[in-house]
Amino acid sequence: MTELTATLAAMYRPRLLITAARMAALTHDAQRRAARRPIAALLAEEDKLNTARLGDGLGYSASRHVAVMSALLCAARNQAGTR
């Protein structure tokens, strides 16, 4: 298990968000986002989105959260060497 995989496994996110991110992770867009952005930047953005989701909700975008989570899932899959 890679460090990113362990980090993702330790996160608690709503099931609907994770299900949508898993489906989106199968697209070419998610793979491209994962390749373009450093993992640390994706994790930081995901943390900001999750804070907005849990807080007042101002500035929260569910579609953006799914896009970032799908990129993280692709990055984890790439690190693990599976497709």
Side-chain angles (χ1 to χ4, degrees):
M1 182 181 283
T2 65
E3 185 178 332
L4 177 58
T5 305
T7 301
L8 291 174
M11 287 181 178
Y12 175 77
R13 301 298 182 262
R15 184 176 296 189
L16 182 60
L17 173 66
I18 298 302
T19 301
R22 284 181 181 154
M23 285 193 257
L26 301 175
T27 66
H28 180 68
D29 290 339
Q31 294 172 7
R32 189 175 60 231
R33 272 192 299 276
R36 281 187 185 169
R37 306 239 351 241
I39 293 171
L42 288 170
L43 285 170
E45 184 173 358
E46 195 283 329
D47 186 53
K48 287 167 71 174
L49 287 164
N50 195 54
T51 301
R53 179 183 68 83
L54 294 172
D56 56 15
L58 292 176
Y60 177 69
S61 169
S63 61
R64 183 69 189 149
H65 204 167
V66 169
V68 170
M69 283 300 297
S70 66
L72 283 168
L73 292 174
C74 281
R77 187 174 49 211
N78 291 342
Q79 279 187 355
T82 60
R83 192 161 160 126

